[in-house]
Amino acid sequence: MKLRKVQTTPYVKILGIETSCDETAAAVVEDGCAILSSVVASQLTTHGKYGGVVPELASREHLRAIVPVVRQALEQAGTGLEALGAVAVTEGPGLVGSLLVGITYAKALCFAGNLPLIAVNHIEGHIHAVILEAGRGIELPAVALVASGGHTHLFEVHEGFRYRLLGKTRDDAAGEAYDKVAKLLGFGYPGGPIIDQLAPHGDPHAVKFTLAHMKGNALDFSFSGLKTAVLRWVEQHDLSREIEARRRAQGAPVKELLALTPQPTLDLLASFQYTVIQELLRRAAVSIEEIGARSFIIAGGVASNSGLRAAAREAGFSCPVYFPTPALSTDNAAMIAAAAFPKYHAHAFAGLDLKAKANLALA
Ligand code: KG4
Ligand code: ZN
């Protein structure tokens, strides 16, 4: 079937759909910046007991949630398919089975509503979460740090949303390091928000982590050495009883987890978080100077970390720093609809043969 010739309109409503990992999300965004609705169905209770995302379970949960989540997003926005200008969907990177659920449903909606389909890169979505809130006044070129459970990338952002990769992690992503350290110490999944809340109770300078100097691109990250250093520290201290107690208490409020965490472990968490933040901001600072950036964007799940936010504000960068609100830092569909807005006006539409791309790169 051929889609109707698209007449683009300035006040377009775009339905965004995001299913790249463990959140089923749908949102309606008008004019690229007004969020009319944003619904996120989290699968935390499904994956929490495994200490990480189980791909097969994730696809099954997306299948269960996609129809009600999209319906709710349209209802909350007070709109129907006929009032939309386009449907935008995450095409990658992510878990292929999860991406497929969103893509297939987006195609079906486009077919039923005779609407254009827009394919969005998940990482570009994270960057747009910031642009969406800060308005289009962000001055370019910008440096964007995208740090989440799946990626840790530094990009140079130019007019027309053109990106150049400056550096990326060679092994674990920053969020993945948080999740693995949390799992090792008996905290639940995801580890980032828990460590974020416990770290202020410890001394960030108590444990000194020396990170290996890497050859090659000085803007690349590496977090697996830090994870191994935490593991060594744990092996050298007998933590088996406290870890077991926390495992039994998984899912409990942070106040309870805090009571089960002795001071040396709190110091370890604070030192781990301090090291991650230093690593992220040190390379961002070099990038900002190198390209003469006029803005610094921090996005992705780790951008909701309160220690990172405070350190970035106090770092004295030569340009303003922009973060999304915590709700837009982690995976959501408003960022996908927002990233689709310039593509809509550029008539950059996808065909109904769009495929899921698990390893899609942004630049
Ligand atoms: O962007 P996101 O929702 O999903 C991916 O694209 O991966 O990011 C999820 C990641 C998880 O690893 C989680 O532990 C981490 O972001 N995260 C945090 C915080 N909130 C979420 N890491 C540190 N501090 C936080 N407050
Ligand atoms: Zn993400």
Side-chain angles (χ1 to χ4, degrees):
M1 177 211 143
K2 264 190 110 115
L3 289 173
R4 70 175 149 91
K5 201 163 180 313
V6 180
Q7 291 285 343
T8 54
T9 53
Y11 292 103
V12 64
K13 286 182 187 140
I14 297 178
L15 169 69
I17 296 178
E18 154 64 40
T19 62
S20 67
C21 191
D22 59 343
E23 331 268 13
T24 315
V28 178
V29 175
E30 188 170 33
D31 196 28
C33 60
I35 302 175
L36 303 186
S37 64
S38 180
V39 179
V40 181
S42 165
Q43 303 179 2
L44 279 188
T45 45
T46 304
H47 303 288
K49 49 185 172 289
Y50 302 100
V53 179
V54 183
E56 291 77 9
L57 296 182
S59 340
R60 206 187 304 161
E61 291 285 312
H62 285 306
L63 275 174
R64 237 196 294 264
I66 189 79
V67 174
V69 164
V70 169
R71 188 185 302 137
Q72 205 182 331
L74 290 172
E75 274 171 17
Q76 279 180 14
T79 189
L81 273 189
E82 67 295 338
L84 297 177
V87 177
V89 68
T90 305
E91 68 167 332
L95 302 169
V96 75
S98 295
L99 289 163
L100 267 173
V101 176
I103 291 175
T104 309
Y105 195 58
K107 285 179 187 174
L109 291 174
C110 289
F111 188 77
N114 201 19
L115 290 163
L117 177 67
I118 301 175
V120 174
N121 181 308
H122 181 80
I123 301 174
E124 184 171 26
H126 275 301
I127 295 173
H128 275 265
V130 181
I131 297 169
L132 167 69
E133 290 183 300
R136 291 170 198 144
I138 292 187
E139 287 195 58
L140 300 176
V143 163
L145 167 67
V146 184
S148 69
H151 349 271
T152 302
H153 289 73
L154 272 172
F155 295 101
E156 187 177 337
V157 186
H158 288 280
E159 290 295 341
F161 302 109
R162 286 176 299 110
Y163 305 91
R164 187 168 77 90
L165 182 66
L166 297 168
K168 65 176 180 175
T169 182
R170 297 208 192 149
D171 38 60
D172 293 347
E176 192 180 356
Y178 268 96
D179 296 336
K180 287 180 174 171
V181 165
K183 186 176 177 185
L184 174 71
L185 289 165
F187 295 102
Y189 171 84
I194 300 169
I195 295 180
D196 187 7
Q197 291 174 74
L198 295 182
H201 298 276
D203 173 4
H205 305 292
V207 186
K208 298 262 179 284
F209 292 111
T210 37
L211 298 178
H213 185 74
M214 286 190 302
K215 290 199 184 112
N217 184 1
L219 296 178
D220 276 351
F221 301 94
S222 169
F223 291 104
S224 76
L226 176 58
K227 178 192 66 190
T228 310
V230 173
L231 174 65
R232 293 241 169 79
W233 191 96
V234 172
E235 283 167 353
Q236 285 159 8
H237 298 75
D238 184 17
L239 306 188
S240 47
R241 285 177 63 183
E242 59 171 280
I243 291 175
E244 193 41 45
R246 286 191 295 264
R247 278 208 183 111
R248 270 187 264 116
Q250 264 182 28
V254 169
K255 232 169 85 185
E256 272 177 48
L257 296 175
L258 177 62
L260 295 171
T261 309
Q263 195 58 45
T265 305
L266 291 170
D267 291 343
L268 173 75
L269 293 177
S271 304
F272 162 78
Q273 170 152 304
Y274 175 79
T275 310
V276 172
I277 293 171
Q278 293 305 309
E279 287 295 295
L280 292 174
L281 295 186
R282 193 156 56 87
R283 286 170 179 74
V286 176
S287 312
I288 290 168
E289 292 315 312
E290 264 185 16
I291 71 156
R294 301 175 72 181
S295 313
F296 176 31
I297 293 169
I298 307 187
V302 179
S304 53
N305 185 273
S306 45
L308 175 63
R309 286 173 175 251
R313 274 192 219 100
E314 288 157 17
F317 292 120
S318 53
C319 61
V321 187
Y322 297 94
F323 297 95
T325 55
L328 287 182
S329 298
T330 44
D331 290 349
N332 65 86
M335 68 185 198
I336 302 302
F341 183 71
K343 298 183 198 301
Y344 172 83
H345 283 293
H347 288 244
F349 300 121
L352 291 185
D353 56 352
L354 178 71
K355 300 211 169 27
K357 299 179 185 76
N359 299 312
L360 184 66
L362 180 58

